[in-house]
């Protein structure tokens, strides 16, 4: 029973970590895109 709980907890943490990485990567892409558009508008 304890082994199942530990496994489920570890899998949940892994999934949450993978989701967080994708979210941070997406936010970085959004910032990069906004910076590029601002630079285009200035030029």
């Amino acid at each position: 029973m304890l082994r199942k709980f530990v496994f489920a907890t570890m899998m949940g943490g892994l999934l949450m970590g993978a989701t967080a990485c994708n979210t941070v990567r997406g936010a970085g892409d959004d910032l990069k895109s906004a910076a590029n558009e601002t630079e285009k508008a200035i030029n």
Side-chain angles (χ1 to χ4, degrees), residues 17-34:
T19 302
C21 288
N22 288 334
T23 302
V24 171
R25 184 178 302 143
D29 290 342
D30 290 343
L31 287 173
K32 189 185 301 183
S33 176

Side-chain angles (χ1 to χ4, degrees), residues 2-32:
L2 180 61
R3 183 180 290 187
K4 288 182 181 181
F5 176 74
V6 170
F7 179 74
T9 303
M10 289 176 63
M11 290 303 290
L14 179 65
L15 289 173
M16 289 177 67
T19 302
C21 288
N22 288 334
T23 302
V24 171
R25 184 178 302 143
D29 290 342
D30 290 343
L31 287 173
K32 189 185 301 183

Side-chain angles (χ1 to χ4, degrees), residues 29-42:
D29 290 342
D30 290 343
L31 287 173
K32 189 185 301 183
S33 176
N36 288 338
E37 292 301 318
T38 304
E39 186 176 347
K40 286 180 188 177
I42 291 171

